[in-house]
Amino acid sequence: MSSVVISGDTSGAITLAAPSVAGTNTITLPASTGTAMVNGPAFSYYSNSGTSVSGGTYTKILFQTQEYDTANAVSSSRFTPLVAGYYQISCAISLSGNSSAGYGIANIYKNGTLYRQGSSYASSANSPNAAISALVYCNGSTDYIEIYAICTNSITTGTGIAATFFSGVLVRGA
Amino acid sequence: MLYNKIMAIYPSLTFEDFITFITLQNDSDGKGDYIAKWEHPTLAKPTTEQLA
């Protein structure tokens, strides 16, 4: 037998298939209840147009360009995964224009409120980046993630895939 | 700009106050800046008239 087919109660089926190569392999399932993950959502977006950030104001950063979005879970710079679990969220924001020794901070917002805050960064004229990475649980239905920045001075964020990006990946199911 | 208006009312405020006690927010949806949180221990939230 090269495969086992498990039919759903009402529709659909799952096929467990052995590879067409010689040798014996073993998969041991854990003694626990959970959902096995197969290719969980992953995404990467970046800014190709700067976002205007008012001084002292948490401002949502816009990421207009998709590098990849395996689950089409990002819309209007908002990540709303439909798979419950723990997501590693990362971003960097170019603070170009914030050249008067101000501070800039990248922030992860969950459901419209501040969830994780990066360390403050004293900017210079060398266009540094503010960044943050954190593990965020999402319930797979209503939870959503956005990126906000706050700076001492008003700026327009920098652009480009290396400078201002927003990415995430499912690292563990619920 | 809302931040400048608030600083004009309360010049003693610092950037740290806007990180800790006060949240000004802009959702980049065209609706502009607004006060999302005001929990300053001594300074009252400015009125609409003050911010006009």
Side-chain angles (χ1 to χ4, degrees), chain B residues 2-27:
Chain B
L2 182 59
Y3 174 76
N4 289 345
K5 290 181 179 178
I6 292 174
M7 289 301 294
I9 297 168
Y10 296 124
S12 63
L13 286 172
T14 65
F15 180 65
E16 285 67 31
D17 289 320
F18 289 88
I19 300 295
T20 308
F21 304 118
I22 301 165
T23 298
L24 305 185
Q25 195 161 309
N26 186 318
D27 299 323

PDB file of all heavy atoms in Angstrom, chain B residues 2-27:
ATOM      1  N   LEU B   2      -1.741  67.702  15.812  1.00  0.00           N
ATOM      2  CA  LEU B   2      -2.260  67.528  17.169  1.00  0.00           C
ATOM      3  C   LEU B   2      -1.154  67.587  18.220  1.00  0.00           C
ATOM      4  O   LEU B   2      -1.323  68.201  19.289  1.00  0.00           O
ATOM      5  CB  LEU B   2      -2.997  66.185  17.245  1.00  0.00           C
ATOM      6  CG  LEU B   2      -3.648  65.841  18.575  1.00  0.00           C
ATOM      7  CD1 LEU B   2      -4.681  66.879  18.975  1.00  0.00           C
ATOM      8  CD2 LEU B   2      -4.287  64.455  18.496  1.00  0.00           C
ATOM      9  N   TYR B   3      -0.040  66.978  17.924  1.00  0.00           N
ATOM     10  CA  TYR B   3       1.086  66.971  18.862  1.00  0.00           C
ATOM     11  C   TYR B   3       1.531  68.393  19.185  1.00  0.00           C
ATOM     12  O   TYR B   3       1.750  68.749  20.354  1.00  0.00           O
ATOM     13  CB  TYR B   3       2.238  66.171  18.250  1.00  0.00           C
ATOM     14  CG  TYR B   3       3.523  66.184  19.046  1.00  0.00           C
ATOM     15  CD1 TYR B   3       3.654  65.412  20.195  1.00  0.00           C
ATOM     16  CD2 TYR B   3       4.618  66.942  18.631  1.00  0.00           C
ATOM     17  CE1 TYR B   3       4.843  65.413  20.918  1.00  0.00           C
ATOM     18  CE2 TYR B   3       5.810  66.936  19.338  1.00  0.00           C
ATOM     19  CZ  TYR B   3       5.911  66.169  20.482  1.00  0.00           C
ATOM     20  OH  TYR B   3       7.083  66.170  21.183  1.00  0.00           O
ATOM     21  N   ASN B   4       1.643  69.215  18.176  1.00  0.00           N
ATOM     22  CA  ASN B   4       2.071  70.603  18.396  1.00  0.00           C
ATOM     23  C   ASN B   4       1.046  71.383  19.211  1.00  0.00           C
ATOM     24  O   ASN B   4       1.412  72.215  20.053  1.00  0.00           O
ATOM     25  CB  ASN B   4       2.315  71.297  17.051  1.00  0.00           C
ATOM     26  CG  ASN B   4       3.554  70.774  16.352  1.00  0.00           C
ATOM     27  OD1 ASN B   4       4.389  70.111  16.968  1.00  0.00           O
ATOM     28  ND2 ASN B   4       3.672  71.047  15.065  1.00  0.00           N
ATOM     29  N   LYS B   5      -0.244  71.120  18.953  1.00  0.00           N
ATOM     30  CA  LYS B   5      -1.285  71.813  19.715  1.00  0.00           C
ATOM     31  C   LYS B   5      -1.210  71.432  21.198  1.00  0.00           C
ATOM     32  O   LYS B   5      -1.354  72.291  22.082  1.00  0.00           O
ATOM     33  CB  LYS B   5      -2.662  71.455  19.157  1.00  0.00           C
ATOM     34  CG  LYS B   5      -2.944  72.035  17.778  1.00  0.00           C
ATOM     35  CD  LYS B   5      -4.337  71.652  17.289  1.00  0.00           C
ATOM     36  CE  LYS B   5      -4.625  72.258  15.925  1.00  0.00           C
ATOM     37  NZ  LYS B   5      -5.962  71.857  15.410  1.00  0.00           N
ATOM     38  N   ILE B   6      -0.984  70.164  21.464  1.00  0.00           N
ATOM     39  CA  ILE B   6      -0.905  69.712  22.858  1.00  0.00           C
ATOM     40  C   ILE B   6       0.349  70.268  23.536  1.00  0.00           C
ATOM     41  O   ILE B   6       0.318  70.701  24.697  1.00  0.00           O
ATOM     42  CB  ILE B   6      -0.946  68.173  22.920  1.00  0.00           C
ATOM     43  CG1 ILE B   6      -2.331  67.682  22.490  1.00  0.00           C
ATOM     44  CG2 ILE B   6      -0.595  67.665  24.320  1.00  0.00           C
ATOM     45  CD1 ILE B   6      -2.453  66.184  22.374  1.00  0.00           C
ATOM     46  N   MET B   7       1.447  70.290  22.788  1.00  0.00           N
ATOM     47  CA  MET B   7       2.678  70.840  23.359  1.00  0.00           C
ATOM     48  C   MET B   7       2.541  72.330  23.648  1.00  0.00           C
ATOM     49  O   MET B   7       3.153  72.843  24.590  1.00  0.00           O
ATOM     50  CB  MET B   7       3.858  70.583  22.412  1.00  0.00           C
ATOM     51  CG  MET B   7       4.288  69.132  22.339  1.00  0.00           C
ATOM     52  SD  MET B   7       4.782  68.437  23.937  1.00  0.00           S
ATOM     53  CE  MET B   7       6.256  69.395  24.289  1.00  0.00           C
ATOM     54  N   ALA B   8       1.723  73.009  22.841  1.00  0.00           N
ATOM     55  CA  ALA B   8       1.500  74.439  23.096  1.00  0.00           C
ATOM     56  C   ALA B   8       0.691  74.642  24.368  1.00  0.00           C
ATOM     57  O   ALA B   8       0.879  75.628  25.092  1.00  0.00           O
ATOM     58  CB  ALA B   8       0.782  75.073  21.900  1.00  0.00           C
ATOM     59  N   ILE B   9      -0.199  73.694  24.653  1.00  0.00           N
ATOM     60  CA  ILE B   9      -1.020  73.783  25.869  1.00  0.00           C
ATOM     61  C   ILE B   9      -0.203  73.359  27.091  1.00  0.00           C
ATOM     62  O   ILE B   9      -0.279  73.988  28.155  1.00  0.00           O
ATOM     63  CB  ILE B   9      -2.269  72.883  25.721  1.00  0.00           C
ATOM     64  CG1 ILE B   9      -3.142  73.369  24.559  1.00  0.00           C
ATOM     65  CG2 ILE B   9      -3.069  72.837  27.021  1.00  0.00           C
ATOM     66  CD1 ILE B   9      -4.232  72.389  24.155  1.00  0.00           C
ATOM     67  N   TYR B  10       0.575  72.307  26.925  1.00  0.00           N
ATOM     68  CA  TYR B  10       1.380  71.772  28.030  1.00  0.00           C
ATOM     69  C   TYR B  10       2.858  71.691  27.594  1.00  0.00           C
ATOM     70  O   TYR B  10       3.348  70.608  27.229  1.00  0.00           O
ATOM     71  CB  TYR B  10       0.902  70.386  28.429  1.00  0.00           C
ATOM     72  CG  TYR B  10      -0.497  70.341  28.987  1.00  0.00           C
ATOM     73  CD1 TYR B  10      -1.474  69.507  28.422  1.00  0.00           C
ATOM     74  CD2 TYR B  10      -0.853  71.093  30.099  1.00  0.00           C
ATOM     75  CE1 TYR B  10      -2.761  69.438  28.951  1.00  0.00           C
ATOM     76  CE2 TYR B  10      -2.130  71.030  30.631  1.00  0.00           C
ATOM     77  CZ  TYR B  10      -3.071  70.206  30.052  1.00  0.00           C
ATOM     78  OH  TYR B  10      -4.346  70.147  30.582  1.00  0.00           O
ATOM     79  N   PRO B  11       3.582  72.794  27.650  1.00  0.00           N
ATOM     80  CA  PRO B  11       4.982  72.787  27.187  1.00  0.00           C
ATOM     81  C   PRO B  11       5.891  71.879  28.005  1.00  0.00           C
ATOM     82  O   PRO B  11       6.988  71.532  27.542  1.00  0.00           O
ATOM     83  CB  PRO B  11       5.394  74.260  27.344  1.00  0.00           C
ATOM     84  CG  PRO B  11       4.118  75.036  27.390  1.00  0.00           C
ATOM     85  CD  PRO B  11       3.124  74.135  28.039  1.00  0.00           C
ATOM     86  N   SER B  12       5.452  71.499  29.196  1.00  0.00           N
ATOM     87  CA  SER B  12       6.308  70.660  30.038  1.00  0.00           C
ATOM     88  C   SER B  12       6.313  69.197  29.608  1.00  0.00           C
ATOM     89  O   SER B  12       7.133  68.406  30.085  1.00  0.00           O
ATOM     90  CB  SER B  12       5.842  70.750  31.495  1.00  0.00           C
ATOM     91  OG  SER B  12       4.519  70.246  31.623  1.00  0.00           O
ATOM     92  N   LEU B  13       5.412  68.821  28.737  1.00  0.00           N
ATOM     93  CA  LEU B  13       5.359  67.422  28.300  1.00  0.00           C
ATOM     94  C   LEU B  13       6.635  67.051  27.541  1.00  0.00           C
ATOM     95  O   LEU B  13       7.202  67.876  26.815  1.00  0.00           O
ATOM     96  CB  LEU B  13       4.144  67.191  27.406  1.00  0.00           C
ATOM     97  CG  LEU B  13       2.784  67.148  28.113  1.00  0.00           C
ATOM     98  CD1 LEU B  13       1.650  67.099  27.081  1.00  0.00           C
ATOM     99  CD2 LEU B  13       2.690  65.955  29.055  1.00  0.00           C
ATOM    100  N   THR B  14       7.029  65.796  27.688  1.00  0.00           N
ATOM    101  CA  THR B  14       8.211  65.298  26.986  1.00  0.00           C
ATOM    102  C   THR B  14       7.808  64.171  26.040  1.00  0.00           C
ATOM    103  O   THR B  14       6.692  63.650  26.107  1.00  0.00           O
ATOM    104  CB  THR B  14       9.245  64.758  27.981  1.00  0.00           C
ATOM    105  OG1 THR B  14       8.684  63.599  28.638  1.00  0.00           O
ATOM    106  CG2 THR B  14       9.593  65.803  29.029  1.00  0.00           C
ATOM    107  N   PHE B  15       8.750  63.794  25.182  1.00  0.00           N
ATOM    108  CA  PHE B  15       8.499  62.677  24.262  1.00  0.00           C
ATOM    109  C   PHE B  15       8.148  61.420  25.050  1.00  0.00           C
ATOM    110  O   PHE B  15       7.294  60.632  24.653  1.00  0.00           O
ATOM    111  CB  PHE B  15       9.734  62.450  23.389  1.00  0.00           C
ATOM    112  CG  PHE B  15       9.584  61.327  22.408  1.00  0.00           C
ATOM    113  CD1 PHE B  15       8.657  61.401  21.370  1.00  0.00           C
ATOM    114  CD2 PHE B  15      10.375  60.195  22.504  1.00  0.00           C
ATOM    115  CE1 PHE B  15       8.524  60.367  20.448  1.00  0.00           C
ATOM    116  CE2 PHE B  15      10.256  59.157  21.593  1.00  0.00           C
ATOM    117  CZ  PHE B  15       9.331  59.246  20.561  1.00  0.00           C
ATOM    118  N   GLU B  16       8.799  61.246  26.195  1.00  0.00           N
ATOM    119  CA  GLU B  16       8.547  60.067  27.023  1.00  0.00           C
ATOM    120  C   GLU B  16       7.098  60.037  27.511  1.00  0.00           C
ATOM    121  O   GLU B  16       6.508  58.961  27.674  1.00  0.00           O
ATOM    122  CB  GLU B  16       9.510  60.037  28.220  1.00  0.00           C
ATOM    123  CG  GLU B  16      10.939  59.636  27.863  1.00  0.00           C
ATOM    124  CD  GLU B  16      11.649  60.665  26.991  1.00  0.00           C
ATOM    125  OE1 GLU B  16      11.348  61.872  27.110  1.00  0.00           O
ATOM    126  OE2 GLU B  16      12.488  60.259  26.168  1.00  0.00           O
ATOM    127  N   ASP B  17       6.528  61.221  27.766  1.00  0.00           N
ATOM    128  CA  ASP B  17       5.115  61.256  28.158  1.00  0.00           C
ATOM    129  C   ASP B  17       4.224  60.675  27.066  1.00  0.00           C
ATOM    130  O   ASP B  17       3.216  60.028  27.347  1.00  0.00           O
ATOM    131  CB  ASP B  17       4.682  62.703  28.451  1.00  0.00           C
ATOM    132  CG  ASP B  17       5.285  63.241  29.737  1.00  0.00           C
ATOM    133  OD1 ASP B  17       5.367  62.479  30.717  1.00  0.00           O
ATOM    134  OD2 ASP B  17       5.675  64.422  29.761  1.00  0.00           O
ATOM    135  N   PHE B  18       4.617  60.904  25.813  1.00  0.00           N
ATOM    136  CA  PHE B  18       3.815  60.410  24.692  1.00  0.00           C
ATOM    137  C   PHE B  18       4.072  58.929  24.410  1.00  0.00           C
ATOM    138  O   PHE B  18       3.426  58.328  23.573  1.00  0.00           O
ATOM    139  CB  PHE B  18       4.076  61.257  23.439  1.00  0.00           C
ATOM    140  CG  PHE B  18       3.491  62.638  23.541  1.00  0.00           C
ATOM    141  CD1 PHE B  18       4.217  63.678  24.098  1.00  0.00           C
ATOM    142  CD2 PHE B  18       2.193  62.891  23.115  1.00  0.00           C
ATOM    143  CE1 PHE B  18       3.677  64.950  24.211  1.00  0.00           C
ATOM    144  CE2 PHE B  18       1.647  64.159  23.228  1.00  0.00           C
ATOM    145  CZ  PHE B  18       2.381  65.196  23.786  1.00  0.00           C
ATOM    146  N   ILE B  19       5.042  58.381  25.112  1.00  0.00           N
ATOM    147  CA  ILE B  19       5.271  56.946  25.037  1.00  0.00           C
ATOM    148  C   ILE B  19       4.559  56.241  26.185  1.00  0.00           C
ATOM    149  O   ILE B  19       4.032  55.142  26.044  1.00  0.00           O
ATOM    150  CB  ILE B  19       6.792  56.635  25.126  1.00  0.00           C
ATOM    151  CG1 ILE B  19       7.537  57.297  23.973  1.00  0.00           C
ATOM    152  CG2 ILE B  19       7.054  55.137  25.153  1.00  0.00           C
ATOM    153  CD1 ILE B  19       7.167  56.758  22.621  1.00  0.00           C
ATOM    154  N   THR B  20       4.515  56.915  27.338  1.00  0.00           N
ATOM    155  CA  THR B  20       4.069  56.264  28.571  1.00  0.00           C
ATOM    156  C   THR B  20       2.618  56.559  28.919  1.00  0.00           C
ATOM    157  O   THR B  20       1.833  55.641  29.178  1.00  0.00           O
ATOM    158  CB  THR B  20       4.965  56.713  29.745  1.00  0.00           C
ATOM    159  OG1 THR B  20       6.323  56.506  29.397  1.00  0.00           O
ATOM    160  CG2 THR B  20       4.622  55.934  31.003  1.00  0.00           C
ATOM    161  N   PHE B  21       2.271  57.830  28.955  1.00  0.00           N
ATOM    162  CA  PHE B  21       0.963  58.222  29.502  1.00  0.00           C
ATOM    163  C   PHE B  21      -0.066  58.632  28.442  1.00  0.00           C
ATOM    164  O   PHE B  21      -1.271  58.559  28.677  1.00  0.00           O
ATOM    165  CB  PHE B  21       1.134  59.405  30.470  1.00  0.00           C
ATOM    166  CG  PHE B  21       2.089  59.140  31.585  1.00  0.00           C
ATOM    167  CD1 PHE B  21       3.238  59.898  31.736  1.00  0.00           C
ATOM    168  CD2 PHE B  21       1.837  58.124  32.508  1.00  0.00           C
ATOM    169  CE1 PHE B  21       4.128  59.653  32.777  1.00  0.00           C
ATOM    170  CE2 PHE B  21       2.724  57.874  33.552  1.00  0.00           C
ATOM    171  CZ  PHE B  21       3.861  58.639  33.679  1.00  0.00           C
ATOM    172  N   ILE B  22       0.450  59.101  27.344  1.00  0.00           N
ATOM    173  CA  ILE B  22      -0.428  59.679  26.319  1.00  0.00           C
ATOM    174  C   ILE B  22      -0.171  58.968  25.003  1.00  0.00           C
ATOM    175  O   ILE B  22       0.984  58.744  24.628  1.00  0.00           O
ATOM    176  CB  ILE B  22      -0.142  61.191  26.148  1.00  0.00           C
ATOM    177  CG1 ILE B  22      -0.359  61.929  27.467  1.00  0.00           C
ATOM    178  CG2 ILE B  22      -1.006  61.782  25.027  1.00  0.00           C
ATOM    179  CD1 ILE B  22       0.227  63.331  27.483  1.00  0.00           C
ATOM    180  N   THR B  23      -1.250  58.596  24.334  1.00  0.00           N
ATOM    181  CA  THR B  23      -1.096  57.992  23.012  1.00  0.00           C
ATOM    182  C   THR B  23      -1.844  58.828  21.986  1.00  0.00           C
ATOM    183  O   THR B  23      -3.077  58.888  22.005  1.00  0.00           O
ATOM    184  CB  THR B  23      -1.636  56.546  22.977  1.00  0.00           C
ATOM    185  OG1 THR B  23      -0.888  55.741  23.883  1.00  0.00           O
ATOM    186  CG2 THR B  23      -1.526  55.957  21.578  1.00  0.00           C
ATOM    187  N   LEU B  24      -1.078  59.462  21.115  1.00  0.00           N
ATOM    188  CA  LEU B  24      -1.657  60.083  19.925  1.00  0.00           C
ATOM    189  C   LEU B  24      -1.515  59.079  18.799  1.00  0.00           C
ATOM    190  O   LEU B  24      -0.472  58.424  18.679  1.00  0.00           O
ATOM    191  CB  LEU B  24      -0.923  61.383  19.578  1.00  0.00           C
ATOM    192  CG  LEU B  24      -0.824  62.440  20.689  1.00  0.00           C
ATOM    193  CD1 LEU B  24      -0.171  63.702  20.151  1.00  0.00           C
ATOM    194  CD2 LEU B  24      -2.188  62.737  21.275  1.00  0.00           C
ATOM    195  N   GLN B  25      -2.539  58.953  18.006  1.00  0.00           N
ATOM    196  CA  GLN B  25      -2.522  57.884  17.015  1.00  0.00           C
ATOM    197  C   GLN B  25      -3.036  58.391  15.670  1.00  0.00           C
ATOM    198  O   GLN B  25      -3.908  59.263  15.608  1.00  0.00           O
ATOM    199  CB  GLN B  25      -3.383  56.709  17.506  1.00  0.00           C
ATOM    200  CG  GLN B  25      -3.178  55.403  16.747  1.00  0.00           C
ATOM    201  CD  GLN B  25      -3.691  54.212  17.548  1.00  0.00           C
ATOM    202  OE1 GLN B  25      -3.338  54.047  18.724  1.00  0.00           O
ATOM    203  NE2 GLN B  25      -4.499  53.379  16.923  1.00  0.00           N
ATOM    204  N   ASN B  26      -2.474  57.798  14.622  1.00  0.00           N
ATOM    205  CA  ASN B  26      -2.934  58.067  13.257  1.00  0.00           C
ATOM    206  C   ASN B  26      -2.945  56.732  12.537  1.00  0.00           C
ATOM    207  O   ASN B  26      -1.903  56.089  12.388  1.00  0.00           O
ATOM    208  CB  ASN B  26      -2.008  59.067  12.548  1.00  0.00           C
ATOM    209  CG  ASN B  26      -2.544  59.477  11.195  1.00  0.00           C
ATOM    210  OD1 ASN B  26      -3.038  58.659  10.434  1.00  0.00           O
ATOM    211  ND2 ASN B  26      -2.457  60.761  10.881  1.00  0.00           N
ATOM    212  N   ASP B  27      -4.106  56.306  12.076  1.00  0.00           N
ATOM    213  CA  ASP B  27      -4.242  54.991  11.464  1.00  0.00           C
ATOM    214  C   ASP B  27      -4.010  55.008   9.955  1.00  0.00           C
ATOM    215  O   ASP B  27      -4.306  54.012   9.276  1.00  0.00           O
ATOM    216  CB  ASP B  27      -5.635  54.418  11.787  1.00  0.00           C
ATOM    217  CG  ASP B  27      -5.844  54.256  13.297  1.00  0.00           C
ATOM    218  OD1 ASP B  27      -4.877  53.886  13.994  1.00  0.00           O
ATOM    219  OD2 ASP B  27      -6.972  54.503  13.772  1.00  0.00           O
TER     220      ASP B  27
END
